[in-house]
Amino acid sequence: MNTTDVNECLGPYMSRVSDLRFLTGQDSEPIVLGVAWVAPLPRTYGRGIHPDTVGFRIDVHPVDATERAATRAVLKARALPQLHAWITQAVAADETWQLTPHQRYWRLVGGRLTHRDEA
């Protein structure tokens, strides 16, 4: 998966993505995609969060070279539409949701893609 795939999937919502990262190295978990909503909440002893960091952070996790083509196909066909739906719901969410950080991860195990929201 590459930047173009994400841009095409998210369309105008891409303007709400504050950070798109393609991670490298070994990953101990079967996570292939992650998204986080970075809320505009004060952190660390009353200091505010910088406005440029508020928004969606998307992480594309590394996969073995032997699995890359198959994983990309699954991500494009299933995970990216689910990512789009999650961001669409987040944009329309009420203020309480938007003032709280949220995360969702997609895992690929044995060819089966699952996702789960995490704190």
Side-chain angles (χ1 to χ4, degrees):
M1 188 161 65
N2 57 39
T3 304
T4 303
D5 295 333
V6 178
N7 281 330
E8 288 175 358
C9 168
L10 295 181
Y13 289 129
M14 195 63 196
S15 66
R16 295 178 178 258
V17 174
S18 60
D19 199 9
L20 172 60
R21 303 183 302 182
F22 292 86
L23 306 179
T24 59
Q26 293 290 359
D27 213 343
S28 62
E29 292 212 31
I31 296 172
V32 290
L33 180 65
V35 61
W37 166 248
V38 179
L41 289 178
R43 297 183 186 174
T44 60
Y45 305 105
R47 287 193 233 156
I49 187 168
H50 194 279
D52 289 346
T53 62
V54 173
F56 298 98
R57 185 185 69 233
I58 300 171
D59 293 334
V60 179
H61 290 251
V63 296
D64 290 337
T66 59
E67 300 172 12
R68 203 164 288 146
T71 300
R72 181 175 189 225
V74 170
L75 289 175
K76 284 181 72 172
R78 296 193 40 230
L80 286 181
Q82 292 171 358
L83 172 67
H84 184 274
W86 192 84
I87 289 177
T88 300
Q89 290 172 347
V91 168
D94 63 22
E95 183 180 22
T96 302
W97 191 96
Q98 291 189 7
L99 291 176
T100 309
H102 299 275
Q103 297 177 345
R104 175 173 280 185
Y105 293 102
W106 284 262
R107 290 172 172 81
L108 188 59
V109 179
R112 183 168 179 247
L113 184 70
T114 61
H115 60 78
R116 186 172 91 196
D117 291 344
E118 298 182 14

